[in-house]
């Protein structure tokens, strides 16, 4: 898209006008539910293309050049290994403590991203997580003060390297970053 086309661009009515650091896995596209949403996403986001996913991430890149696609040839050791890599991919987006970080490893609705952004902005020191019945992390929202902490990347690398169970890792994360309610 050139500058003139960009100025004329009218996002679809359902487009989220969020200011959130977004990272999703290819599992977010189960059932093709979010392809158009992320193709029209107006900010940089990270897509972790997991092995065996049949998602056509090259088509996404053609429509959305701000997407950062990280293709994994082997299954990652867990979500914290993926999250530990985010600072090098999101770069300057991690400098804004008002922007929460949202990680999704499951299909989601457009409105859910908006709600998570609002909740993350209201609680910059908050942590919200969702585990599935198998104990796997499917959603993690970190308030901007946590997401931009210089201590977070090494903390996540330690969790990944030690292969800490995801529920225990969340407990450690909440202990390291208690939500003071402000």
């Amino acid at each position: 898209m050139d500058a003139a086309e960009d100025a004329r661009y009218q996002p679809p009515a359902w487009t989220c006008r969020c200011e959130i650091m977004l990272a999703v896995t290819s599992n977010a596209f189960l059932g093709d539910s979010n392809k158009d949403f992320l193709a029209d996403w107006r900010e940089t986001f990270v897509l972790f293309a997991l092995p065996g996913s049949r998602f056509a991430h090259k088509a996404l890149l053609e429509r959305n050049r701000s997407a950062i696609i990280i293709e994994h040839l082997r299954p990652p050791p867990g979500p914290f290994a993926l999250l530990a890599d985010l600072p090098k991919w999101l770069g300057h987006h991690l400098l804004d403590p008002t922007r929460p970080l949202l990680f999704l490893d499951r299909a989601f609705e457009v409105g859910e991203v908006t709600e998570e952004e609002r909740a993350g902005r209201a609680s910059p020191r908050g942590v919200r997580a969702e585990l599935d019945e198998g104990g796997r992390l499917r959603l993690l929202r970190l308030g901007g003060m946590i997401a931009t902490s210089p201590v977070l990347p090494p903390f996540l690398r330690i969790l990944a390297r030690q292969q800490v169970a995801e529920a225990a890792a969340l407990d450690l994360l909440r202990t390291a970053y208690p939500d003071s309610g402000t």
Side-chain angles (χ1 to χ4, degrees), residues 7-88:
R8 290 189 307 267
Y9 176 79
Q10 292 296 314
W14 47 261
T15 298
C16 176
R17 299 185 198 305
C18 299
E19 288 195 17
I20 192 167
M21 296 175 279
L22 183 63
V24 299
T25 70
S26 48
N27 291 334
F29 300 100
L30 298 176
D32 296 337
S33 60
N34 296 303
K35 288 181 182 174
D36 285 336
F37 171 63
L38 287 175
D40 293 321
W41 184 260
R42 299 291 287 170
E43 295 189 35
T44 300
F45 71 94
V46 174
L47 167 64
F48 296 105
L50 302 176
S53 67
R54 300 185 195 277
F55 176 66
H57 52 275
K58 289 183 177 80
L60 175 72
L61 264 181
E62 287 174 9
R63 285 183 58 188
N64 187 335
R65 297 206 181 269
S66 66
I68 299 169
I69 298 178
I70 304 167
E71 188 169 8
H72 285 264
L73 302 177
R74 285 182 274 161
F80 291 102
L82 298 174
L83 291 166
D85 286 339
L86 278 181
K88 68 182 168 192

Side-chain angles (χ1 to χ4, degrees), residues 69-124:
I69 298 178
I70 304 167
E71 188 169 8
H72 285 264
L73 302 177
R74 285 182 274 161
F80 291 102
L82 298 174
L83 291 166
D85 286 339
L86 278 181
K88 68 182 168 192
W89 297 108
L90 282 173
H92 71 277
H93 293 283
L94 288 173
L95 297 176
D96 184 354
T98 65
R99 296 176 70 181
L101 169 68
L102 180 61
F103 170 78
L104 290 161
D105 187 32
R106 61 159 175 75
F108 61 92
E109 298 296 323
V110 174
E112 183 178 9
V113 175
T114 305
E115 288 303 313
E116 292 296 340
E117 180 209 12
R118 269 190 221 122
R121 284 185 178 277
S123 181

